[in-house]
Amino acid sequence: MSNFPFLSVLTVAPLVGALVVAFLPRHRPELAKQVAFVWSLLVLVLSVVMWVSFKAGGDRFQFRESYSWIPNWGVNFTFAADGIALVMLMLIAVLVPLVILASWHDAESSKRSVPVYFALLLVLECTMIGVFAAADVFLFYVFFEVMLVPMYFLIGSYGGHQRQYAAVKFFLYSLVGGLFMLAAVIGLWVVGGKTFDWQALSQVDISTGTERWLFLGFFLAFAIKAPFFPFHTWLPDAGGAAPAGAAALLVGVLDKVGTFGILRYCLPLFPEASKWFAPWALALGVIGIVYAALLAVGQNDLKRLVSYTSIAHFGFIGVGIFAFTTQAGTGAVLYMLNHGLATGLLFLVVGMLIARRGSALISDFGGAGKLVPVLAGVLFFAGLASLALPGTAPFISEFLVLIGTFTVNKPVAVIATLGIILAAAYVLWMVQRTTQGTLNPALTEVDGMRRDLNLREKVVVAPLIALIVLLGFYPKPVTDVINPAVQATMDDIGRTDPAPSVGTVQEARR
Amino acid sequence: MTELKLPSLDYAALAPILIMLGAALVGVLVEAFVPRRSRHVVQLTLALLAVLAALTMVVLNADDRLITAGQAISVDGPTLFLQGAILVLAAMALLLIGDRSVERGGAFVAQAAVTAESADDRRQAEGRNGLTEIYPLTTFAIGGMLIFVAANDLLTMFIALEVFSLPLYLLCALARRRRLLSQEAAMKYFLLGAYASAFFLFGVALIYGFTSGIPGRGAGVDFSTINAAVTESPTSPVLLFAGMALLAIGLLFKAAAAPFHVWTPDVYQGAPTPVTGFMAACTKVAAFGALLRVFHVAFAGAAWDFTPVLGAVAVLTMLVGAVLAVTQTDIKRLLAYSSIANAGYLLVGVLSPSRDGLSGTMFYLVAYGFSVLAAFAVVTLVRDADGEATHLSRWAGLGRRSPFYAGLFTFILLAFAGIPLTSGFTSKFAIFGPALDGGQAWLVIAGVLTSMVLAFPYLRVVVMMWLSEPGESTPTVTVPGGLTSAALMIGVLATLVLGVAPAPLLDLATGAADFVR
């Protein structure tokens, strides 16, 4: 099966689905939803087959395919996946059907075409898969930019309060980053001898000055995308205004493109510059962890709160990447996956809560657990996963990042640990103010609040809860895939892990 | 008395030019002898057939690399590529010009001499058939452009400049509605254009003086003489620099580069929209074709001297276009400033002396021409009882009223913003890549930074169309007849195809990117 062109088929399939859905008659929204859902399930099945045929100990890049596209510039449709990309592809394939299911009624409240909403979700899936599957820098850039368009319309057309402002801000921020990257992409093409092939480019020697500029071009784009402090201001607006399903994809997957890009492009292509800039990147990560967590504590809007928690988590991922140890790197990649699951779940649950109450403000809730106990329970679980409680998947990744960082940079690890305490503060306080305590009398007058989770919503949350618990106890299948890829990335920048030193008894006494 | 020696003429190589000018003359006769009611059809058919025939000749001549008519006309790769581009884009523009389904009687005035805003004027606006003199005028302009990109000496270039400029001045004044605005635009364009021509001519004179000093060779303004003089002439280079500067002013005026751009927004706004599209696409190709030839062939030896100056002009042009586009509230003015910014990007291409730079610039010209014509085609469709509704606030909610045309326009705007899978992205790459390769990193960085600024106004229009609620005054989109639809669809498809599969045209441009000297 390993000869099957998985990656190109996976990229194209959602696009075909999107076209089918978009041309379904507008007055039959149910049909559009069903087609979109089934289609995304097919993509999931195909991804699972791909996961199974991936050889964990095999080549770094597998499923490589290459077709000529613009020979004049040396551009090819080259797809290939390493362990990191594979994990992200699985995350997409799992999240999209759940998001479609969770968004079943989201588009109806907006007076806009329902089939188009689901078509846009599928287009988004196509571009997301493409961006992780590309092994040609030009192709990567194309997907990186085109990805903005469906998301822009999802936020702008189907979003909530201030959606226009949020959509434009999202688009402009990403485009600015993208254009810096375009300059760097062209620069890389020129110094790399007019090729865009990742593997060829990673062999090129670049002079120190040029390498630093090119690194900055790429890093800026990824730092805006991820987003790292201080480029994060678009995310709370976009996350707050986007419909819950789109927000789950935005934070769960789209932003991972930033951290993935750093791992795939910044570190291997510009190893020296990466090391040179690492202290700065670590500083941004640490500031992000503390600053965003503090802001999250102060939020009164549920979706903005979740957005800020994500920025804090991206700080962790950034620290893990730039610590340059295999443990921290593996932790960071694992975090990318777990954060997608946990924050995806949190966003979807929060979305269900908001849909019932008709308001995203925490102060409009209070004691909701008495009316919708199951929903409140799921919210509590999602919150605990998000604060990285041991037993949930994010704990393992956060722990790996921290110990991996501690071996090389103690101050950063210590400050980052503060983030865990703050995470407990914002999650627990949010849960307390929404679902615990005395019942807010206004809630009883809202019809929606009397309905607990229905079957559809249970089907949405169940797989995510299962995965979070499963990976919390047994992450080995994932780490087996990630480890070699991270190891290879560390080799690219020429860093080896510090040898573990066990203090002898004499030393301890001395 | 010595016998006059006639230069040999290669009629086949000159055929595209001769066909267009001949068709224009026939068009004048048609005005005189064909009855009024059938003139429109006859003229349009004649013009389109002439363009088609000229295009065929260009294709048949594809392998020509020669200089003919004395030293006056060179027929080489860039000439043929740009002539082909002008003809294809002109055919699209003719489709827009000839359309009479969107507005009754067409976009042109029925009687240009009627006093604006008078009762007669209102009567003519209500649907009497428009002038048909526009077709010979357009055909003359196309013919002039074909000479302009082929001219191999400065005098021929000057004559070509006038041949295509004079009809354009007239065409600008012929809008059916908002006659005062249209006449004002024509007046401005004419006065400033006349100045620019004078600068150009003075530059020619100075260059002639400069070439007179080469030992063993007569003075002249053909490009090979100038090229030799740049390296060999003992005359003070002040003449050369002053001459170059004056020539550049004349050419940059036509290309709408800052600080010679001030006419652009007014003229683009006042001129009938099909003519605006014609100018934005074809005049741009012609002006940059001439710039390429003058600076790559005639003044190639002085590249060290003109590159910093033209580079500064390029940066200024990009900045002015991008920043002022942000503040515009009229769609035609917005597109005008966007076209100024694009002139800046094209100048970056002109400053890359490599073969890739030349082919990239030519690719950009074609790609931009298609997109901008499609954009103006949509502008002609959005209208209310008073004609086109060009104020941006009127476009609010257009996506709801007519999602198809709003979708097409959105696609064009994304192309202007340089989003991948559109020709806007590939053409930016085609320009910036060779520029960076040639060591002009500062120009590329300026280009990237201004692209960021420029994305905002485009996005604002998209927001207007899709994310705003339709108001009471949101105009409707007229369903266009065959001609406008054809032009629009060609433009949109070309924007898509050149974005997804640019290789064939790039091959063509690369194959053509070699001047005969």
Side-chain angles (χ1 to χ4, degrees):
Chain A
M1 270 306 269
S2 60
N3 289 329
F4 184 78
F6 281 108
L7 293 169
S8 52
V9 172
L10 268 180
T11 308
V12 175
L15 190 64
V16 177
L19 288 177
V20 171
V21 172
F23 286 103
L24 288 174
R26 206 182 153 148
H27 57 273
R28 294 192 58 193
E30 288 304 314
L31 181 66
K33 294 171 187 176
Q34 286 152 6
V35 172
F37 181 62
V38 171
W39 208 285
S40 63
L41 279 183
L42 290 178
V43 172
L44 174 61
V45 170
L46 191 62
S47 312
V48 172
V49 177
M50 180 176 76
W51 174 277
V52 173
S53 35
F54 188 86
K55 294 183 200 64
D59 292 343
R60 179 179 185 181
F61 288 97
Q62 300 184 21
F63 313 122
R64 189 182 166 87
E65 317 166 40
S66 194
Y67 317 100
S68 178
W69 181 11
I70 311 175
N72 316 55
W73 298 334
V75 178
N76 294 306
F77 285 106
T78 307
F79 295 102
D82 60 357
I84 304 173
L86 184 75
V87 169
M88 296 314 297
L89 291 175
M90 273 318 286
L91 177 65
I92 298 167
V94 170
L95 274 184
V96 170
L98 298 179
V99 162
I100 289 179
L101 206 54
S103 316
W104 212 251
H105 298 298
D106 276 11
E108 281 154 21
S109 55
S110 72
K111 295 185 291 182
R112 311 251 169 169
S113 160
V114 175
V116 170
Y117 180 82
F118 291 93
L120 282 173
L121 280 178
L122 286 174
V123 173
L124 188 64
E125 183 175 22
C126 156
T127 57
M128 290 189 303
I129 291 177
V131 90
F132 287 109
D136 181 284
V137 181
F138 191 93
L139 189 63
F140 172 81
Y141 181 80
V142 166
F143 281 117
F144 186 85
E145 290 280 273
V146 172
M147 202 165 58
L148 302 180
V149 178
M151 197 38 134
Y152 170 79
F153 283 104
L154 280 173
I155 298 176
S157 299
Y158 300 91
H161 183 56
Q162 278 214 316
R163 56 198 165 85
Q164 292 191 13
Y165 171 77
V168 172
K169 193 169 175 181
F170 159 76
F171 197 94
L172 284 182
Y173 262 73
S174 303
L175 193 69
V176 164
L179 284 168
F180 278 118
M181 190 165 111
L182 174 63
V185 165
I186 299 175
L188 183 65
W189 176 71
V190 169
V191 296
K194 313 267 168 92
T195 175
F196 282 108
D197 185 70
W198 186 91
Q199 268 159 340
L201 286 172
S202 61
Q203 310 295 328
V204 173
D205 268 333
I206 310 172
S207 70
T208 313
T210 317
E211 188 182 334
R212 285 181 191 163
W213 282 112
L214 295 181
F215 173 89
L216 265 187
F218 277 90
F219 181 75
L220 214 58
F222 296 143
I224 291 175
K225 197 79 177 180
F228 291 149
F229 174 86
F231 310 107
H232 64 279
T233 59
W234 63 269
L235 182 62
D237 289 319
L249 286 180
L250 174 71
V251 176
V253 181
L254 228 66
D255 294 349
K256 304 299 190 310
V257 176
T259 49
F260 171 81
I262 293 175
L263 275 170
R264 171 66 77 77
Y265 295 94
C266 284
L267 303 194
L269 298 183
F270 318 114
E272 297 307 315
S274 303
K275 278 184 256 183
W276 198 76
F277 281 106
W280 301 95
L282 281 175
L284 290 188
V286 170
I287 296 173
I289 293 174
V290 177
Y291 177 74
L294 285 173
L295 286 181
V297 174
Q299 290 306 312
N300 190 32
D301 181 304
L302 278 168
K303 285 201 275 189
R304 289 180 73 88
L305 188 147
V306 181
S307 303
Y308 275 113
T309 69
S310 299
I311 298 170
H313 293 155
F314 283 117
F316 270 108
I317 299 176
V319 167
I321 292 172
F322 281 98
F324 297 144
T325 60
T326 315
Q327 265 172 338
T330 307
V333 177
L334 203 55
Y335 212 143
M336 283 158 64
L337 170 68
N338 294 337
H339 175 265
L341 296 174
T343 307
L345 176 64
L346 192 56
F347 248 122
L348 293 176
V349 178
V350 161
M352 294 168 189
L353 208 53
I354 294 171
R356 285 174 164 71
R357 178 65 180 88
S359 160
L361 298 183
I362 295 179
S363 51
D364 283 345
F365 290 90
K370 297 191 176 60
L371 295 173
V372 281
V374 181
L375 181 55
V378 177
L379 179 72
F380 188 53
F381 176 83
L384 290 183
S386 181
L387 66 79
L389 189 79
T392 59
F395 168 72
I396 297 180
S397 40
E398 204 159 296
F399 190 68
L400 275 175
V401 167
L402 287 176
I403 56 172
T405 311
F406 193 80
T407 54
V408 289
N409 196 334
K410 293 192 176 58
V412 168
V414 170
I415 302 173
T417 313
L418 274 181
I420 300 184
I421 301 168
L422 287 169
Y426 58 68
V427 167
L428 293 179
W429 203 34
M430 181 266 285
V431 170
Q432 189 194 348
R433 284 184 296 165
T434 48
T435 59
Q436 310 293 313
T438 47
L439 181 64
N440 182 350
L443 282 185
T444 49
E445 288 159 26
V446 183
D447 283 341
M449 290 305 291
R450 293 197 204 101
R451 281 183 282 111
D452 209 338
L453 286 190
N454 60 25
L455 180 63
R456 173 177 61 82
E457 289 165 329
K458 282 178 189 158
V459 172
V460 170
V461 295
L464 288 174
I465 294 176
L467 275 172
I468 290 172
V469 174
L470 186 72
L471 293 177
F473 282 98
Y474 189 64
K476 190 170 178 304
V478 180
T479 48
D480 279 352
V481 172
I482 296 174
N483 248 327
V486 172
Q487 188 67 55
T489 309
M490 293 302 139
D491 290 345
D492 283 336
I493 55 168
R495 276 290 169 102
T496 47
D497 294 336
S501 58
V502 181
T504 58
V505 180
Q506 282 84 359
E507 268 176 305
R509 282 196 186 136
R510 222 177 281 152
Chain B
M1 210 174 116
T2 52
E3 206 174 321
L4 201 59
K5 223 174 108 194
L6 290 173
S8 72
L9 292 176
D10 184 335
Y11 286 102
L14 294 173
I17 298 169
L18 297 177
I19 290 172
M20 286 320 292
L21 295 180
L25 294 174
V26 175
V28 175
L29 293 180
V30 169
E31 281 302 309
F33 295 110
V34 173
R36 188 178 287 276
R37 49 188 157 48
S38 45
R39 264 185 225 164
H40 168 66
V41 180
V42 174
Q43 290 280 28
L44 181 61
T45 321
L46 175 68
L48 280 174
L49 281 179
V51 168
L52 222 60
L55 192 60
T56 317
M57 284 314 293
V58 167
V59 174
L60 290 179
N61 288 345
D63 295 325
D64 279 6
R65 301 287 183 269
L66 51 91
I67 296 180
T68 180
Q71 287 283 304
I73 300 282
S74 58
V75 179
D76 55 8
T79 300
L80 290 163
F81 185 90
L82 293 171
Q83 283 186 338
I86 290 173
L87 288 168
V88 171
L89 296 172
M92 272 174 74
L94 273 172
L95 293 178
L96 290 180
I97 290 173
D99 190 285
R100 284 189 170 178
S101 65
V102 174
E103 171 147 29
R104 260 178 60 205
F108 295 89
V109 70
Q111 240 183 323
V114 167
T115 316
E117 314 288 320
S118 67
D120 274 348
D121 184 36
R122 273 190 288 283
R123 223 170 301 129
Q124 69 81 18
E126 287 318 312
R128 278 175 54 197
N129 281 340
L131 286 174
T132 44
E133 282 91 344
I134 48 172
Y135 298 103
L137 286 173
T138 313
T139 322
F140 267 125
I142 300 169
M145 289 171 186
L146 295 188
I147 311 175
F148 200 52
V149 295
N152 196 43
D153 70 46
L154 291 173
L155 267 183
T156 313
M157 193 171 260
F158 176 74
I159 290 166
L161 178 73
E162 294 303 305
V163 170
F164 85 78
S165 293
L166 289 171
L168 279 179
Y169 301 145
L170 272 174
L171 283 170
C172 284
L174 297 181
R176 171 179 292 266
R177 297 173 191 265
R178 304 202 188 96
R179 298 277 308 134
L180 277 179
L181 205 62
S182 174
Q183 288 170 5
E184 183 194 325
M187 196 66 192
K188 264 187 189 156
Y189 194 21
F190 171 68
L191 285 179
L192 291 174
Y195 264 115
S197 300
F199 275 109
F200 186 90
L201 204 54
F202 195 26
V204 176
L206 292 185
I207 295 293
Y208 183 78
F210 175 70
T211 55
S212 62
I214 327 171
R217 194 166 176 167
V221 286
D222 60 300
F223 292 159
S224 60
T225 310
I226 298 173
N227 191 18
V230 168
T231 43
E232 294 165 26
S233 174
T235 319
S236 147
V238 173
L239 273 183
L240 169 68
F241 296 152
M244 250 192 331
L246 293 174
L247 282 179
I249 290 176
L251 292 174
L252 291 174
F253 173 85
K254 283 292 162 204
F260 317 106
H261 67 283
V262 281
W263 58 275
T264 320
D266 292 334
V267 173
Y268 275 31
Q269 186 185 17
T273 306
V275 173
T276 312
F278 177 60
M279 286 196 295
C282 298
T283 309
K284 210 141 240 154
V285 179
F288 275 97
L291 271 170
L292 283 170
R293 191 175 291 278
V294 166
F295 284 102
H296 284 203
V297 179
F299 296 118
W304 280 96
D305 301 309
F306 68 71
T307 304
V309 180
L310 276 189
V313 170
V315 172
L316 186 69
T317 307
M318 294 187 267
L319 264 181
V320 166
V323 172
L324 291 184
V326 174
T327 63
Q328 297 310 310
T329 52
D330 184 284
I331 188 73
K332 281 171 87 176
R333 291 183 80 86
L334 196 160
L335 288 172
Y337 280 105
S338 134
S339 119
I340 293 171
N342 275 291
Y345 301 137
L346 281 161
L347 273 177
V348 176
V350 172
L351 292 176
S352 313
S354 64
R355 196 185 169 106
D356 282 344
L358 180 57
S359 72
T361 314
M362 295 198 295
F363 179 82
Y364 196 113
L365 283 167
V366 176
Y368 177 72
F370 277 120
S371 306
V372 83
L373 269 170
F376 281 110
V378 177
V379 173
T380 63
L381 300 181
V382 181
R383 45 200 319 136
D384 58 16
D386 293 329
E388 289 162 8
T390 54
H391 199 274
L392 269 186
S393 63
R394 306 284 311 278
W395 285 48
L398 203 70
R400 215 68 82 66
R401 291 274 169 92
S402 27
F404 179 68
Y405 291 101
L408 292 184
F409 198 64
T410 305
F411 179 71
I412 298 288
L413 288 174
L414 290 178
F416 284 150
I419 301 291
L421 302 187
T422 65
S423 65
F425 172 67
T426 44
S427 50
K428 277 212 174 66
F429 189 92
I431 292 252
F432 290 159
L436 208 54
D437 204 12
Q440 308 281 5
W442 63 297
L443 290 177
V444 175
I445 288 169
V448 166
L449 288 175
T450 50
S451 301
M452 293 172 193
V453 180
L454 205 51
F456 179 71
Y458 299 143
L459 208 57
R460 211 164 44 122
V461 181
V462 176
V463 169
M464 274 285 178
M465 289 194 302
W466 293 99
L467 310 186
S468 300
E469 299 301 317
E472 285 292 308
S473 64
T474 300
T476 47
V477 169
T478 314
V479 177
L483 296 178
T484 299
S485 304
L488 178 59
M489 291 324 288
I490 293 171
V492 170
L493 279 179
T495 305
L496 179 68
V497 169
L498 294 181
V500 176
L505 188 67
L506 276 173
D507 281 336
L508 198 64
T510 311
D514 210 4
F515 286 111
V516 52
R517 282 162 217 272

